[in-house]
Amino acid sequence: RNFDGVSEGVKALLAGEHRAPGTLGMISDVLEVPSRYLDALEASLGEAAAFVLVADHAALGTALEQLRGLPSGRATLVDLAGIAAGGPHGVPDGPGVLGRASDLVRCEDRYRALVERLLGTVVVVEDRATAARLAVQSEAGLRFVSLDGEVWERGRVRAGSARNLAGLLHRENEIRELTGELAARRQAVEALERGREELEARRAGTQ
């Protein structure tokens, strides 16, 4: 697996045959994001996309010992067993609002509380004008992210080149798409092979 774009600490925890039991992967590994929302979610998560997930406190301790033994490199660890979903924030509706970010992504049930914590206060909207308007009007604590990756909240905005958004979520999405294409082609080849075998069997039966 290619770990370009992540810290040496993350690489050490996840690469090769030395991954400790209970080390589950990065946050970007467990999210399935529709293509339309990739830039928005990439911008919303930022560095959190590369946080390393561990199953419980024991796995956390093991990962910490691995990190302390490295000559260089750091990583942020998230203990899934210690995560509880926060109370839902009200989300404004109306023109330009696409939905709560946590509702727009897919994940396994065991990661749902984490997703709610990370993305439950993020609202995906169509464009800058909608994000700017809602950031002023809505309650504190909500963030509004446009489809092109501008993140707005009351009194603050984070923006930049769209090229900087082609990060871990984009890479995971490409891997899933390629894996699906390979599986479809493999099935097509197997179907052709079965057809050839059936044709040869019929020919042999007529001789």
Side-chain angles (χ1 to χ4, degrees):
R1 176 179 176 174
N2 188 335
F3 284 98
D4 288 347
V6 301
S7 71
E8 292 301 316
V10 173
K11 290 179 185 177
L13 291 173
L14 300 179
E17 302 175 355
H18 304 294
R19 182 186 295 201
T23 303
L24 305 174
M26 294 180 290
I27 285 176
S28 61
D29 296 333
V30 305
L31 298 179
E32 291 186 35
V33 182
S35 298
R36 186 185 186 196
Y37 306 124
L38 278 172
D39 285 350
L41 270 294
E42 199 88 66
S44 299
L45 285 172
E47 294 180 355
F51 288 179
V52 176
L53 302 175
V54 295
D56 51 34
H57 189 71
L60 177 67
T62 301
L64 285 172
E65 290 304 316
Q66 282 185 272
L67 289 172
R68 290 190 182 112
L70 297 177
S72 64
R74 299 174 68 84
T76 299
L77 305 173
V78 179
D79 177 2
L80 276 183
I83 297 291
H89 283 66
V91 173
D93 55 14
V97 177
L98 301 175
R100 192 194 311 270
S102 57
D103 296 332
L104 299 176
V105 303
R106 296 182 295 272
C107 66
E108 294 180 19
D109 288 344
R110 62 174 169 166
Y111 302 121
R112 181 46 61 181
L114 171 67
V115 170
E116 293 296 336
R117 273 298 182 92
L118 288 172
L119 298 173
T121 58
V122 177
V123 181
V124 180
V125 299
E126 288 276 1
D127 50 33
R128 172 187 296 175
T130 306
R133 172 173 54 82
L134 292 175
V136 172
Q137 295 175 350
S138 298
E139 64 181 278
L142 286 177
R143 289 181 291 153
F144 300 89
V145 57
S146 61
L147 288 176
D148 60 359
E150 289 188 0
V151 184
W152 289 74
E153 53 191 307
R154 184 172 294 180
R156 184 167 64 178
V157 59
R158 188 169 75 249
S161 170
R163 287 179 295 179
N164 293 334
L165 294 173
L168 296 174
L169 291 179
H170 284 77
R171 198 173 306 163
E172 287 300 318
N173 191 62
E174 289 174 2
I175 290 171
R176 290 189 180 102
E177 288 180 351
L178 289 172
T179 300
E181 290 176 9
L182 287 173
R185 292 184 181 185
R186 189 177 298 113
Q187 290 176 350
V189 169
E190 291 173 353
L192 289 172
E193 182 64 23
R194 287 194 300 271
R196 183 185 65 81
E197 292 173 353
E198 291 172 0
L199 181 58
E200 290 180 351
R202 285 198 299 270
R203 284 176 177 173
T206 60
Q207 292 177 358

